[in-house]
């Protein structure tokens, strides 16, 4: 605590004309969340968001359910080729999986 204020709970604010906007990139919670994002966690998150099972995603990628599990758990790396295929499936940037 500094000057009676808890730094983690301090909110950075941007002013835009008549509105006040919070800049999430300057928030501690956002930085922590961003640091914890990994390609494997992103893969799992996008798969779940798309309501696909590991088996269904494996079929789309032409691989096995176990291979999907290994990638999602960080046991096996996600290749550039797979990252590009995931990007097409989920309609997002391949950078999410690299």
């Amino acid at each position: 605590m500094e000057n009676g204020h808890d730094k983690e709970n301090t909110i950075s604010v941007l002013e835009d004309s008549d509105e006040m906007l919070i800049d999430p990139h300057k928030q501690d919670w956002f930085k922590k969340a961003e640091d914890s994002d990994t390609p494997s966690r992103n893969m799992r998150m996008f798969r779940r968001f798309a309501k696909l099972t590991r088996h269904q995603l494996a079929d789309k990628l032409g691989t096995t359910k176990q291979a999907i599990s290994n990638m999602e758990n960080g046991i096996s790396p996600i290749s550039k080729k797979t990252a590009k295929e995931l990007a097409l499936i989920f309609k997002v940037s391949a950078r999410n999986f690299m």
Side-chain angles (χ1 to χ4, degrees), residues 24-55:
H25 295 93
K26 293 184 179 178
Q27 305 307 310
D28 289 334
W29 63 266
F30 185 86
K31 291 175 186 174
K32 287 177 187 175
E34 196 172 42
D35 289 343
S36 68
D37 284 347
T38 63
S40 57
R41 284 185 183 179
N42 287 340
M43 182 177 172
R44 179 181 292 125
M45 178 191 65
F46 282 109
R47 177 182 60 79
R48 288 179 175 170
F49 185 73
K51 297 184 175 156
L52 293 174
T53 65
R54 286 180 174 159
H55 184 78

